[in-house]
Amino acid sequence: MSLLINLVIAAAIVGFAGYEIYKSVKRSKGGGCNACDYQCDTKEMLKQHSSKLN
């Protein structure tokens, strides 16, 4: 019984990891990434640097 529980848990972990990889690859093909969902310091610095160059 514990083997079955361990297999179910392992399948859930591998399935979730596979789903996250699929979602990441799908988004990167569209020209974005997971970091595009929120404003981070790096993106703010890039915007400031780009505005200074123009």
Side-chain angles (χ1 to χ4, degrees):
M1 184 67 180
S2 66
L3 177 63
L4 180 63
I5 293 171
N6 286 337
L7 288 175
V8 169
I9 291 171
I13 292 170
V14 170
F16 181 72
Y19 171 72
E20 290 295 321
I21 290 171
Y22 168 76
K23 196 168 70 170
S24 179
V25 168
K26 184 177 175 183
R27 185 173 293 176
S28 68
K29 283 184 180 179
C33 64
N34 289 337
C36 294
D37 291 341
Y38 60 91
Q39 292 298 108
C40 62
D41 294 335
T42 306
K43 286 170 62 174
E44 292 297 322
M45 289 171 50
L46 180 62
K47 284 181 186 177
Q48 290 175 359
H49 183 69
S50 296
S51 66
K52 288 180 183 177
L53 292 177
N54 293 332

Short mmCIF file of all heavy atoms in Angstrom, two decimals:
data_model
loop_
_atom_site.label_atom_id
_atom_site.label_comp_id
_atom_site.label_asym_id
_atom_site.label_seq_id
_atom_site.Cartn_x
_atom_site.Cartn_y
_atom_site.Cartn_z
N MET A 1 0.82 -1.19 0.00
CA MET A 1 0.00 0.00 0.00
C MET A 1 0.86 1.26 0.00
O MET A 1 0.54 2.22 -0.68
CB MET A 1 -0.92 -0.04 1.22
CG MET A 1 -1.89 1.09 1.28
SD MET A 1 -3.07 0.92 -0.06
CE MET A 1 -4.09 2.30 0.20
N SER A 2 1.94 1.26 0.77
CA SER A 2 2.80 2.45 0.81
C SER A 2 3.50 2.66 -0.53
O SER A 2 3.77 3.79 -0.91
CB SER A 2 3.81 2.35 1.94
OG SER A 2 4.72 1.30 1.70
N LEU A 3 3.77 1.57 -1.26
CA LEU A 3 4.37 1.70 -2.59
C LEU A 3 3.42 2.42 -3.53
O LEU A 3 3.83 3.30 -4.29
CB LEU A 3 4.73 0.32 -3.14
CG LEU A 3 5.30 0.30 -4.57
CD1 LEU A 3 6.63 1.05 -4.61
CD2 LEU A 3 5.47 -1.11 -5.06
N LEU A 4 2.15 2.09 -3.45
CA LEU A 4 1.14 2.73 -4.29
C LEU A 4 1.04 4.22 -3.96
O LEU A 4 0.97 5.06 -4.87
CB LEU A 4 -0.21 2.05 -4.10
CG LEU A 4 -1.35 2.61 -4.93
CD1 LEU A 4 -1.06 2.43 -6.41
CD2 LEU A 4 -2.63 1.92 -4.56
N ILE A 5 1.05 4.55 -2.70
CA ILE A 5 0.99 5.95 -2.28
C ILE A 5 2.21 6.70 -2.78
O ILE A 5 2.11 7.82 -3.30
CB ILE A 5 0.84 6.06 -0.75
CG1 ILE A 5 -0.53 5.52 -0.32
CG2 ILE A 5 1.01 7.50 -0.28
CD1 ILE A 5 -0.70 5.38 1.16
N ASN A 6 3.38 6.10 -2.65
CA ASN A 6 4.60 6.74 -3.14
C ASN A 6 4.57 6.93 -4.65
O ASN A 6 5.02 7.96 -5.16
CB ASN A 6 5.84 5.92 -2.75
CG ASN A 6 6.17 6.05 -1.29
OD1 ASN A 6 5.79 7.02 -0.64
ND2 ASN A 6 6.87 5.05 -0.76
N LEU A 7 4.03 5.96 -5.38
CA LEU A 7 3.93 6.10 -6.83
C LEU A 7 2.96 7.21 -7.22
O LEU A 7 3.21 7.97 -8.16
CB LEU A 7 3.49 4.78 -7.45
CG LEU A 7 4.53 3.66 -7.46
CD1 LEU A 7 3.92 2.38 -7.99
CD2 LEU A 7 5.74 4.06 -8.28
N VAL A 8 1.88 7.34 -6.50
CA VAL A 8 0.91 8.40 -6.77
C VAL A 8 1.54 9.77 -6.50
O VAL A 8 1.39 10.71 -7.30
CB VAL A 8 -0.39 8.20 -5.95
CG1 VAL A 8 -1.28 9.43 -6.01
CG2 VAL A 8 -1.12 6.97 -6.42
N ILE A 9 2.24 9.89 -5.40
CA ILE A 9 2.90 11.15 -5.07
C ILE A 9 3.97 11.49 -6.11
O ILE A 9 4.06 12.62 -6.59
CB ILE A 9 3.50 11.10 -3.65
CG1 ILE A 9 2.37 11.06 -2.62
CG2 ILE A 9 4.41 12.29 -3.39
CD1 ILE A 9 2.84 10.78 -1.21
N ALA A 10 4.77 10.50 -6.49
CA ALA A 10 5.81 10.73 -7.51
C ALA A 10 5.19 11.10 -8.85
O ALA A 10 5.68 12.00 -9.54
CB ALA A 10 6.67 9.48 -7.66
N ALA A 11 4.09 10.45 -9.22
CA ALA A 11 3.41 10.79 -10.48
C ALA A 11 2.86 12.20 -10.44
O ALA A 11 2.92 12.92 -11.45
CB ALA A 11 2.29 9.79 -10.75
N ALA A 12 2.34 12.62 -9.31
CA ALA A 12 1.83 13.99 -9.18
C ALA A 12 2.95 15.01 -9.31
O ALA A 12 2.80 16.03 -9.99
CB ALA A 12 1.12 14.16 -7.84
N ILE A 13 4.09 14.74 -8.70
CA ILE A 13 5.23 15.66 -8.77
C ILE A 13 5.76 15.74 -10.20
O ILE A 13 5.98 16.83 -10.73
CB ILE A 13 6.33 15.22 -7.79
CG1 ILE A 13 5.86 15.43 -6.35
CG2 ILE A 13 7.62 16.00 -8.05
CD1 ILE A 13 6.77 14.83 -5.31
N VAL A 14 5.94 14.59 -10.83
CA VAL A 14 6.45 14.57 -12.21
C VAL A 14 5.44 15.20 -13.16
O VAL A 14 5.81 15.95 -14.07
CB VAL A 14 6.79 13.13 -12.64
CG1 VAL A 14 7.08 13.04 -14.11
CG2 VAL A 14 7.98 12.61 -11.83
N GLY A 15 4.16 14.95 -12.95
CA GLY A 15 3.13 15.55 -13.78
C GLY A 15 3.10 17.06 -13.66
O GLY A 15 2.99 17.78 -14.66
N PHE A 16 3.20 17.56 -12.44
CA PHE A 16 3.22 19.01 -12.23
C PHE A 16 4.45 19.64 -12.85
O PHE A 16 4.36 20.69 -13.48
CB PHE A 16 3.15 19.33 -10.73
CG PHE A 16 3.14 20.80 -10.44
CD1 PHE A 16 2.01 21.56 -10.73
CD2 PHE A 16 4.24 21.42 -9.90
CE1 PHE A 16 2.00 22.91 -10.47
CE2 PHE A 16 4.24 22.77 -9.64
CZ PHE A 16 3.12 23.52 -9.92
N ALA A 17 5.60 18.99 -12.70
CA ALA A 17 6.83 19.51 -13.30
C ALA A 17 6.72 19.52 -14.82
O ALA A 17 7.13 20.49 -15.48
CB ALA A 17 8.03 18.67 -12.86
N GLY A 18 6.16 18.47 -15.39
CA GLY A 18 5.96 18.42 -16.84
C GLY A 18 5.02 19.52 -17.31
O GLY A 18 5.26 20.15 -18.35
N TYR A 19 3.97 19.76 -16.57
CA TYR A 19 3.03 20.82 -16.91
C TYR A 19 3.70 22.19 -16.88
O TYR A 19 3.50 23.02 -17.77
CB TYR A 19 1.84 20.78 -15.96
CG TYR A 19 0.92 21.97 -16.11
CD1 TYR A 19 0.09 22.09 -17.22
CD2 TYR A 19 0.88 22.97 -15.14
CE1 TYR A 19 -0.75 23.17 -17.37
CE2 TYR A 19 0.05 24.06 -15.29
CZ TYR A 19 -0.77 24.16 -16.40
OH TYR A 19 -1.58 25.24 -16.54
N GLU A 20 4.50 22.44 -15.87
CA GLU A 20 5.21 23.72 -15.76
C GLU A 20 6.21 23.90 -16.90
O GLU A 20 6.35 24.99 -17.45
CB GLU A 20 5.92 23.84 -14.40
CG GLU A 20 4.98 24.00 -13.25
CD GLU A 20 4.21 25.31 -13.30
OE1 GLU A 20 4.78 26.34 -13.68
OE2 GLU A 20 3.00 25.28 -12.97
N ILE A 21 6.90 22.83 -17.27
CA ILE A 21 7.84 22.91 -18.39
C ILE A 21 7.08 23.18 -19.68
O ILE A 21 7.48 24.03 -20.48
CB ILE A 21 8.68 21.62 -18.49
CG1 ILE A 21 9.64 21.53 -17.32
CG2 ILE A 21 9.42 21.55 -19.82
CD1 ILE A 21 10.35 20.20 -17.20
N TYR A 22 5.97 22.49 -19.89
CA TYR A 22 5.15 22.70 -21.09
C TYR A 22 4.67 24.15 -21.15
O TYR A 22 4.73 24.80 -22.20
CB TYR A 22 3.96 21.75 -21.07
CG TYR A 22 2.92 22.08 -22.10
CD1 TYR A 22 3.12 21.78 -23.44
CD2 TYR A 22 1.72 22.69 -21.73
CE1 TYR A 22 2.16 22.08 -24.40
CE2 TYR A 22 0.77 23.00 -22.67
CZ TYR A 22 0.99 22.70 -24.00
OH TYR A 22 0.04 23.01 -24.94
N LYS A 23 4.18 24.66 -20.04
CA LYS A 23 3.68 26.03 -19.99
C LYS A 23 4.79 27.03 -20.26
O LYS A 23 4.59 28.00 -21.00
CB LYS A 23 3.07 26.27 -18.61
CG LYS A 23 2.18 27.48 -18.52
CD LYS A 23 1.38 27.50 -17.23
CE LYS A 23 2.27 27.74 -16.05
NZ LYS A 23 1.53 28.01 -14.81
N SER A 24 5.97 26.78 -19.73
CA SER A 24 7.11 27.67 -19.93
C SER A 24 7.57 27.66 -21.39
O SER A 24 7.84 28.71 -21.97
CB SER A 24 8.26 27.25 -19.02
OG SER A 24 9.38 28.06 -19.21
N VAL A 25 7.63 26.48 -21.99
CA VAL A 25 8.05 26.38 -23.39
C VAL A 25 7.01 27.04 -24.29
O VAL A 25 7.36 27.76 -25.23
CB VAL A 25 8.27 24.90 -23.78
CG1 VAL A 25 8.41 24.74 -25.27
CG2 VAL A 25 9.49 24.35 -23.07
N LYS A 26 5.76 26.83 -24.00
CA LYS A 26 4.69 27.43 -24.81
C LYS A 26 4.76 28.95 -24.74
O LYS A 26 4.63 29.63 -25.75
CB LYS A 26 3.34 26.93 -24.30
CG LYS A 26 2.18 27.40 -25.11
CD LYS A 26 0.89 26.80 -24.58
CE LYS A 26 -0.30 27.36 -25.32
NZ LYS A 26 -1.55 26.85 -24.78
N ARG A 27 4.99 29.49 -23.56
CA ARG A 27 5.07 30.94 -23.41
C ARG A 27 6.33 31.50 -24.06
O ARG A 27 6.29 32.56 -24.67
CB ARG A 27 5.04 31.31 -21.93
CG ARG A 27 5.01 32.81 -21.73
CD ARG A 27 4.81 33.17 -20.31
NE ARG A 27 3.48 32.76 -19.90
CZ ARG A 27 3.02 32.88 -18.68
NH1 ARG A 27 3.79 33.38 -17.75
NH2 ARG A 27 1.81 32.50 -18.39
N SER A 28 7.44 30.79 -23.97
CA SER A 28 8.67 31.29 -24.56
C SER A 28 8.61 31.29 -26.08
O SER A 28 9.21 32.13 -26.73
CB SER A 28 9.88 30.49 -24.09
OG SER A 28 9.86 29.19 -24.60
N LYS A 29 7.84 30.37 -26.66
CA LYS A 29 7.66 30.38 -28.11
C LYS A 29 6.87 31.60 -28.54
O LYS A 29 7.02 32.07 -29.66
CB LYS A 29 6.93 29.11 -28.56
CG LYS A 29 7.82 27.90 -28.60
CD LYS A 29 7.06 26.71 -29.15
CE LYS A 29 7.94 25.49 -29.19
NZ LYS A 29 7.22 24.31 -29.69
N GLY A 30 6.03 32.11 -27.66
CA GLY A 30 5.24 33.30 -27.95
C GLY A 30 6.00 34.58 -27.72
O GLY A 30 5.47 35.66 -27.90
N GLY A 31 7.24 34.50 -27.29
CA GLY A 31 8.06 35.69 -27.09
C GLY A 31 8.03 36.24 -25.68
O GLY A 31 8.44 37.37 -25.45
N GLY A 32 7.54 35.49 -24.74
CA GLY A 32 7.49 35.95 -23.36
C GLY A 32 8.12 34.94 -22.43
O GLY A 32 8.64 33.92 -22.86
N CYS A 33 8.09 35.26 -21.16
CA CYS A 33 8.60 34.33 -20.16
C CYS A 33 7.80 34.52 -18.88
O CYS A 33 6.95 35.39 -18.80
CB CYS A 33 10.09 34.55 -19.92
SG CYS A 33 10.47 36.16 -19.22
N ASN A 34 8.08 33.75 -17.90
CA ASN A 34 7.35 33.85 -16.64
C ASN A 34 7.59 35.19 -15.96
O ASN A 34 6.74 35.68 -15.25
CB ASN A 34 7.72 32.71 -15.70
CG ASN A 34 7.18 31.39 -16.18
OD1 ASN A 34 6.22 31.35 -16.92
ND2 ASN A 34 7.80 30.31 -15.76
N ALA A 35 8.73 35.78 -16.18
CA ALA A 35 9.04 37.06 -15.56
C ALA A 35 8.24 38.20 -16.18
O ALA A 35 8.16 39.28 -15.60
CB ALA A 35 10.53 37.35 -15.67
N CYS A 36 7.65 37.98 -17.34
CA CYS A 36 6.87 39.03 -17.99
C CYS A 36 5.54 39.28 -17.27
O CYS A 36 4.86 40.25 -17.57
CB CYS A 36 6.60 38.67 -19.44
SG CYS A 36 8.09 38.62 -20.44
N ASP A 37 5.18 38.44 -16.33
CA ASP A 37 3.91 38.58 -15.63
C ASP A 37 3.96 39.63 -14.52
O ASP A 37 2.93 40.04 -14.02
CB ASP A 37 3.49 37.25 -15.01
CG ASP A 37 3.09 36.24 -16.07
OD1 ASP A 37 2.81 36.65 -17.20
OD2 ASP A 37 3.07 35.03 -15.74
N TYR A 38 5.11 40.07 -14.12
CA TYR A 38 5.19 41.02 -13.02
C TYR A 38 6.31 42.03 -13.26
O TYR A 38 7.19 41.82 -14.08
CB TYR A 38 5.41 40.31 -11.68
CG TYR A 38 6.67 39.49 -11.61
CD1 TYR A 38 7.85 40.05 -11.15
CD2 TYR A 38 6.69 38.16 -12.00
CE1 TYR A 38 9.01 39.31 -11.09
CE2 TYR A 38 7.84 37.41 -11.95
CZ TYR A 38 9.00 37.99 -11.48
OH TYR A 38 10.14 37.26 -11.44
N GLN A 39 6.23 43.14 -12.57
CA GLN A 39 7.25 44.18 -12.69
C GLN A 39 8.38 43.85 -11.72
O GLN A 39 8.19 43.85 -10.51
CB GLN A 39 6.65 45.54 -12.36
CG GLN A 39 5.65 46.03 -13.36
CD GLN A 39 6.26 46.23 -14.73
OE1 GLN A 39 6.00 45.46 -15.62
NE2 GLN A 39 7.09 47.22 -14.88
N CYS A 40 9.56 43.63 -12.24
CA CYS A 40 10.70 43.37 -11.37
C CYS A 40 11.71 44.50 -11.52
O CYS A 40 11.61 45.34 -12.41
CB CYS A 40 11.33 42.01 -11.69
SG CYS A 40 11.99 41.89 -13.35
N ASP A 41 12.69 44.52 -10.65
CA ASP A 41 13.70 45.57 -10.67
C ASP A 41 14.49 45.58 -11.97
O ASP A 41 14.84 46.64 -12.49
CB ASP A 41 14.67 45.40 -9.49
CG ASP A 41 13.98 45.61 -8.16
OD1 ASP A 41 12.96 46.33 -8.14
OD2 ASP A 41 14.46 45.07 -7.15
N THR A 42 14.76 44.42 -12.51
CA THR A 42 15.53 44.34 -13.75
C THR A 42 14.79 44.98 -14.90
O THR A 42 15.37 45.72 -15.69
CB THR A 42 15.84 42.87 -14.08
OG1 THR A 42 16.48 42.26 -12.96
CG2 THR A 42 16.72 42.76 -15.31
N LYS A 43 13.49 44.74 -14.99
CA LYS A 43 12.70 45.35 -16.05
C LYS A 43 12.64 46.86 -15.90
O LYS A 43 12.71 47.60 -16.88
CB LYS A 43 11.30 44.76 -16.07
CG LYS A 43 11.26 43.35 -16.63
CD LYS A 43 9.95 42.67 -16.45
CE LYS A 43 8.83 43.34 -17.15
NZ LYS A 43 7.56 42.58 -17.07
N GLU A 44 12.53 47.35 -14.67
CA GLU A 44 12.51 48.79 -14.43
C GLU A 44 13.83 49.43 -14.83
O GLU A 44 13.86 50.49 -15.45
CB GLU A 44 12.21 49.07 -12.96
CG GLU A 44 10.80 48.70 -12.54
CD GLU A 44 9.75 49.50 -13.27
OE1 GLU A 44 9.97 50.71 -13.51
OE2 GLU A 44 8.71 48.91 -13.62
N MET A 45 14.93 48.77 -14.50
CA MET A 45 16.25 49.30 -14.87
C MET A 45 16.42 49.32 -16.38
O MET A 45 16.99 50.26 -16.95
CB MET A 45 17.36 48.47 -14.22
CG MET A 45 17.45 48.67 -12.72
SD MET A 45 18.55 47.54 -11.86
CE MET A 45 20.04 47.65 -12.79
N LEU A 46 15.92 48.29 -17.06
CA LEU A 46 16.01 48.24 -18.51
C LEU A 46 15.20 49.37 -19.14
O LEU A 46 15.66 50.01 -20.10
CB LEU A 46 15.53 46.88 -19.02
CG LEU A 46 15.57 46.67 -20.52
CD1 LEU A 46 17.01 46.76 -21.03
CD2 LEU A 46 14.97 45.34 -20.89
N LYS A 47 14.03 49.64 -18.61
CA LYS A 47 13.21 50.74 -19.13
C LYS A 47 13.92 52.07 -18.95
O LYS A 47 13.93 52.91 -19.86
CB LYS A 47 11.86 50.79 -18.41
CG LYS A 47 10.89 49.73 -18.84
CD LYS A 47 9.60 49.89 -18.09
CE LYS A 47 8.64 48.79 -18.37
NZ LYS A 47 7.40 48.91 -17.58
N GLN A 48 14.52 52.30 -17.78
CA GLN A 48 15.23 53.54 -17.53
C GLN A 48 16.42 53.69 -18.46
O GLN A 48 16.67 54.76 -19.01
CB GLN A 48 15.68 53.61 -16.08
CG GLN A 48 14.55 53.78 -15.09
CD GLN A 48 15.03 53.72 -13.66
OE1 GLN A 48 16.22 53.53 -13.41
NE2 GLN A 48 14.12 53.87 -12.73
N HIS A 49 17.15 52.61 -18.65
CA HIS A 49 18.33 52.65 -19.51
C HIS A 49 17.93 52.90 -20.97
O HIS A 49 18.56 53.68 -21.66
CB HIS A 49 19.10 51.34 -19.40
CG HIS A 49 20.36 51.31 -20.19
ND1 HIS A 49 21.46 52.07 -19.86
CD2 HIS A 49 20.70 50.63 -21.31
CE1 HIS A 49 22.41 51.85 -20.75
NE2 HIS A 49 21.98 50.98 -21.64
N SER A 50 16.83 52.27 -21.40
CA SER A 50 16.37 52.45 -22.77
C SER A 50 15.90 53.88 -23.02
O SER A 50 16.13 54.44 -24.07
CB SER A 50 15.22 51.49 -23.08
OG SER A 50 15.68 50.16 -23.01
N SER A 51 15.25 54.47 -22.02
CA SER A 51 14.77 55.84 -22.19
C SER A 51 15.92 56.84 -22.22
O SER A 51 15.85 57.87 -22.89
CB SER A 51 13.78 56.20 -21.09
OG SER A 51 14.43 56.22 -19.85
N LYS A 52 17.01 56.55 -21.54
CA LYS A 52 18.18 57.44 -21.56
C LYS A 52 18.90 57.38 -22.90
O LYS A 52 19.48 58.35 -23.34
CB LYS A 52 19.16 57.06 -20.45
CG LYS A 52 18.66 57.42 -19.08
CD LYS A 52 19.66 57.01 -18.02
CE LYS A 52 19.12 57.31 -16.64
NZ LYS A 52 20.04 56.86 -15.57
N LEU A 53 18.83 56.22 -23.56
CA LEU A 53 19.51 56.09 -24.85
C LEU A 53 18.75 56.79 -25.96
O LEU A 53 19.34 57.20 -26.95
CB LEU A 53 19.68 54.61 -25.20
CG LEU A 53 20.66 53.82 -24.33
CD1 LEU A 53 20.66 52.36 -24.75
CD2 LEU A 53 22.06 54.40 -24.43
N ASN A 54 17.45 56.93 -25.82
CA ASN A 54 16.63 57.54 -26.89
C ASN A 54 16.55 58.99 -26.72
O ASN A 54 16.73 59.88 -26.40
CB ASN A 54 15.22 56.95 -26.92
CG ASN A 54 15.26 55.49 -27.34
OD1 ASN A 54 16.15 55.08 -28.07
ND2 ASN A 54 14.30 54.73 -26.88
#
